[in-house]
Structures are given as structure tokens and as C-alpha cells.
Amino acid sequence: MNVMIVGSGGREYSIGLALKRDSSVDKIYFAPGNGASKDLGTNVLITDFAKLADFVVDNSIDLTIVGPETPLSEGIVDLFRDRGLVIFGPTKSAARLEGSKVYMKNFLAKYEIPTAKYIETNSLEEATEFIATLDDERVVVKADGLCAGKGVIIATSHQEATDATQHMLDGSSFGEAGKRVVVEQFLDGYELSMFAICDGDDFILLPAAQDHKRLLDGDEGPNTGGMGAYAPTPLVDDVIYEKVKERVIRPTLSGMKSEGAPFEGVLFIGLMIVDGEPITLEFNVRFGDPECEILMPLLKSPASELFYKAATNNISELNVEFSNQYGVGVVMASRDYPYKSSPSCEIIVDEIVHDDLLQNSHISYAGVSEEDGVLFASGGRVLVCVGLGDSIQEARDRAYMLVAQVHFAGKQLRSDIAYQALN
Ligand code: AMP
Ligand code: GLY
């Protein structure tokens, strides 16, 4: 089977690694890929969806897997399906679960999926009245549209929440994306990421992961796309998995069907566990990054079959197996991340000479470019060092041993990935 992966990050690279291990995969293409994905397959520099579909036909590509949300929200799946091509991901209308927070919150309310109490509005007066009804001084204000992960303000007082709402509504914080807002109750608990691979009717739930969104140790500093992750997290037991399946995923799949937008692709459920109850914070319609980088290596079954069956509505035929190991991923980011882009600089990876490390760790490359065989750190999140092990501690030790072999000027990383599991 020939497979194309749309995207350029560490997430897409890790899907490429999983396909590389899969004996039924012949050729792998990345559109556009990065400076390291060329070693796993062929980078295709076509951005226009129709031309990309032509490329898929011309090169007998059997399956396309879409990594990031932007092409999904722009309708790449609809266009490929219209051309009779097999593509894994949600249609444009199903991708609204991520593209609009207002749509998502109203969907959760309509199908009685537990979520934080909220109001969605474009009126400052309505928002202020709602804020006054909340007991907690902490309030969460969210811009409706996609803001590259920055559209959420956790205000520490009602006044701050009102001010944040005003700045969103008048367009000064996030432009058009903030002209409608969701204001919601602050939830105090621990946060998890769960991923369900869906085919519209059925799903396969992957091991629960925990991301580390803040830049600095101890969850300090600004929000980022994610500085590290681990899975499976011991913070989830079978009771929570069952609750997520019954109270979140099943009603979401049947709800999306009734809305005329069956959900196919990765349903990424951002959860807050409050007193043992999973409360849905948000949906995304794609894999998390860096969560994907640690989940893909835990997949024992062939990746191509999983994605192909999901894309062709046959997931119920599958019995997917996961390894009983743990994965820990540590992101290495460039000097000025997440504030601005950093000067490009060479990456040096020492030769790994210990068998143990060679067999149980690897790098998932993200923001890298290549010139004359030399790899450069050129993006914000540059790469993820992944360690696998029989315990979280062992996986984490290996991830940090690998980190110690990777060098580039100004590298930033957290030293406490998986701390919540080890406390
Ligand atoms: P979102 O984009 O909705 O996931 O929000 C980004 C981050 O803000 C989440 O990952 C949480 O850490 C935090 N957050 C969002 N909503 C809430 C809430 N209602 N209570 C507490 N924290 C929240
Ligand atoms: N790591 C969180 C995300 O991909 O949105």
C-alpha cells in the first residue's frame, strides 16, 4: 500500500515511523513533510488540494492521512472523497467541532455531554451577567474561532474576565476569531487527552495521554502547543475509560450523525477530571502533538490497516493491539519559542552506542530543515525525544538520556515531563 501523510510536524513524522514499521506499506509520501521526513519517504511540495489529489491518482496512493486541523477545516477530505480517494480525517462540516468553540459547546449541550457551564455570546452585557453568576473568581474566556491555541484566557478575577471578553469582542485580541466568545466556569481537576479513531459509527480508543502545555517546569510560563507528553497515564482507570466511551464518544458519534456530519478521523477529547468525572473541555479533530509521537510507538497493530479501515467505515472489523509499555516524549524547542521564530541552527545528534537506548528511544522530527545532509533547527518545536519502557520512570529516563545526545544552540525543554504520574 502507498500512503501519503499531510502535514509537516513531529505528529506526521511519527505516523510516518509507524507506517515504516508496517510491512504492508510500500511507499510513504509527506505533503509537505520536513527536513527529516525525506529519510522516511518522499516530500511532496504541493499545497493546492486539487493538485494534490491529482498527485495521489498519478502515484497510485491508496490512502491519505491528514495530520493538522487547517486542511481539514478547509475541506481537503471533501475534495478527496469527491474524487473517489480514500482519506482519513473529518469532512469540513465535521471539523467544525474544532474550528468553532461555539459550535462545539452547543453540540455538547444539545447531546448532554458533560462540559463546563457556559454562555456563548457576542454581547459584553450578557457575558458580564453570566460572569456575575459564577462562584469561583476564576473564569475562562475563549475566542470562537481558531487562534493557533492562543484563544483561551484563564482570568483570575471577574473583572479580568470582563476585560478579556471586551478585548475579544472588539476585535483587539484575536480579530474576527474573537467576535463571538464562550465564557465558562473554571474547572479544577487534572487534565488529560484521549484519542478515539472513528469511522463515523464505531471507534477505537487509544491509551490516555497527558500533555504539558506550559513552557516551563512546574507548569509555569506561557502556553505552548505542548512541551512533552506521556501515555498511558495511571491517572485514568477502567471506570474513567468506560465513562468517556459511554458519556462522551458514543453520544458524539451518534450526535454528529444526526447533525448530518458523521465523524470520521481522530476525535481528540480534552478532558478535565473533576472528582472522578470526565468533563469535556474541548474537542479537536486531529491527533495532538506531541501526544501522537508517544501513542504511535505504542501501537502494535499495523498502522496502515487501522487508518485504512477507519477511512472506509470498517473499523469494527479490527482488533487493535497496543504494547503494554509506556511512552514519554520530551519536546526540544528553539530559543525564542513560543514568542517568535529563532535563527536557524545546526542540530547535532551524537552517535547512540548503548543498545538499550538504541532499541527503546527515537527522535520524532518536527521543525527541521535539511541542507547538504545537515539538519537545522528551523521551527518552534524542533523535535521530540521519545523513550519507551516498562514503567513511566524507565521510559522517562530513556527519553532524557536521548535528550542529552541532541544539541542545538538555544534549545529549550522541560525537565519534568510526566511529573504528575511520578508524584
Ligand atoms: P482549550 O483550547 O479549550 O482546550 O483550552 C486551552 C487550555 O485552557 C486547556 O488545555 C486547559 O488547560 C485550559 N482550560 C480550558 N477550559 C478550561 C476550564 N473550563 N477550566 C479550567 N481550565 C480550562
Ligand atoms: N498537544 C495539544 C495539541 O496538539 O493541541
Side-chain angles (χ1 to χ4, degrees), residues 233-244:
T233 166
L235 300 172
V236 176
D237 57 16
D238 288 345
V239 177
I240 294 183
Y241 277 117
E242 272 318 300
K243 284 182 181 169
V244 172

Side-chain angles (χ1 to χ4, degrees), residues 7-244:
S8 62
R11 167 177 53 203
E12 291 75 24
Y13 188 92
S14 71
I15 296 172
L17 282 178
L19 293 170
K20 199 84 191 164
R21 297 200 303 266
D22 180 342
S23 57
S24 54
V25 174
D26 302 308
K27 286 197 183 136
I28 304 175
Y29 296 87
F30 294 87
N34 61 42
S37 61
K38 304 196 255 209
D39 296 334
L40 301 178
T42 307
N43 285 355
V44 181
L45 304 178
I46 299 173
T47 49
D48 180 76
F49 297 160
K51 291 194 178 125
L52 201 56
D54 292 338
F55 182 89
V56 163
V57 173
D58 293 344
N59 291 277
S60 311
I61 294 173
D62 306 283
L63 167 68
T64 301
I65 300 168
V66 187
E69 64 273 27
T70 307
L72 296 168
S73 296
E74 290 170 355
I76 189 170
V77 170
D78 309 64
L79 186 138
F80 273 48
R81 294 246 165 94
D82 286 347
R83 299 275 301 266
L85 302 172
V86 177
I87 182 164
F88 176 74
T91 58
K92 184 174 179 170
S93 62
R96 274 183 303 167
L97 274 184
E98 170 163 2
S100 164
K101 295 220 186 268
V102 168
Y103 177 83
M104 174 204 58
K105 289 294 284 191
N106 290 340
F107 177 89
L108 291 172
K110 181 169 174 188
Y111 294 97
E112 297 177 354
I113 298 167
T115 187
K117 206 163 75 173
Y118 74 103
I119 184 175
E120 55 98 351
T121 181
N122 57 9
S123 142
L124 182 62
E125 200 185 325
E126 267 182 30
T128 310
E129 273 171 29
F130 173 78
I131 292 168
T133 66
L134 298 171
D135 297 331
D136 201 313
E137 273 300 302
R138 295 167 294 184
V139 178
V140 185
V141 185
K142 302 181 176 185
D144 176 39
L146 289 174
C147 305
K150 299 188 179 70
V152 176
I153 307 287
I154 315 258
T156 52
S157 69
H158 285 191
Q159 186 55 50
E160 199 188 313
T162 308
D163 294 346
T165 308
Q166 186 183 350
H167 294 142
M168 282 190 198
L169 292 178
D170 70 18
S172 55
S173 326
F174 301 110
E176 281 305 311
K179 296 228 163 146
R180 235 185 140 74
V181 296
V182 168
V183 180
E184 70 180 31
Q185 166 199 20
F186 178 85
L187 297 172
D188 213 350
Y190 58 89
E191 211 175 332
L192 301 172
S193 312
M194 290 232 211
F195 299 89
I197 301 208
C198 307
D199 73 356
D201 295 299
D202 297 300
F203 64 93
I204 283 165
L205 186 58
L206 307 191
Q210 209 173 24
D211 184 18
H212 299 63
K213 289 208 168 83
R214 302 294 196 98
L215 181 69
L216 305 173
D217 282 4
D219 295 323
E220 303 282 340
N223 256 327
T224 69
M227 292 299 289
Y230 70 94
T233 166
L235 300 172
V236 176
D237 57 16
D238 288 345
V239 177
I240 294 183
Y241 277 117
E242 272 318 300
K243 284 182 181 169
V244 172

